[in-house]
Amino acid sequence: MASNTTPLWLFDLDNTLHNASHAIFPAINANMNRYMTQVFAQGGHPSDEATVNFLRRHYWRLYGATLLGMVRHHGVRIDDFLHEAHRFDDLPNMVRAERGIGRWLRQLPGRKILLTNAPQRYSRQLVRHLGLHRHFSQHISIESMQVHRQLRPKPSRLMLRRLLAREKVKPRDCILVEDTVANLKTARELGVRTAWVTQYMIGDPHLAHMSARRIRDRHPAYVDVKVSSVRQLPRRLAALGALRKK
């Protein structure tokens, strides 16, 4: 059912607005592995390649961000981890994205907030490089996702509730656009509408265990709309309840 209220859109960044799987995610994973190896070795923990790879993926699946696992279990500083994980020699040349993203965003009614588990410096640089910064009324990076002085990145229910309350928006009038199903599932449980972007998932190293066919065929009940690209969102407004009643 269409809403009388103009929706609030929450947009993820990596593998939603651009292809992070092409070069950026592999570089981040290599940076994480290098830093985690140093931390584990200094702490007297196993630091072989297999252990590091396993824990990087395990913490990501368990907490929604490898960073949280490293903070909780290994005492690393948030700023140190984010700095080391997002060191790039030439970020602009690593970016791959569709043309016309800004045009598609303009066709979506309502305010738009960038809500990303990436750090501020990286995400701001990337959004400006893509020419999308003018489309977002707010830019919420992982450093800002704190509740009671505790880091609560996506898929935190508490963080999302606080965000909706602060914006004075009912869940049904909010739409989360994401590539990560865990984040979509949590949002849908709160009553937020969900749009799943899938085109960059095939190359996502976090999803190496999923076949391309499984990704294409999958449509969880908590996903309102499944699209390959954000360019399809303007045509799916009715399915998302994002059209005003006349």
Side-chain angles (χ1 to χ4, degrees), residues 194-206:
T194 56
W196 186 23
V197 179
T198 63
Q199 71 173 333
Y200 302 127
M201 295 177 61
I202 304 300
D204 188 339
H206 290 124

Side-chain angles (χ1 to χ4, degrees), residues 137-150:
S137 62
Q138 290 186 56
H139 182 135
I140 301 176
S141 58
I142 193 168
E143 299 97 325
S144 302
M145 298 181 191
Q146 303 231 4
V147 181
H148 303 312
R149 298 185 180 179
Q150 295 292 318

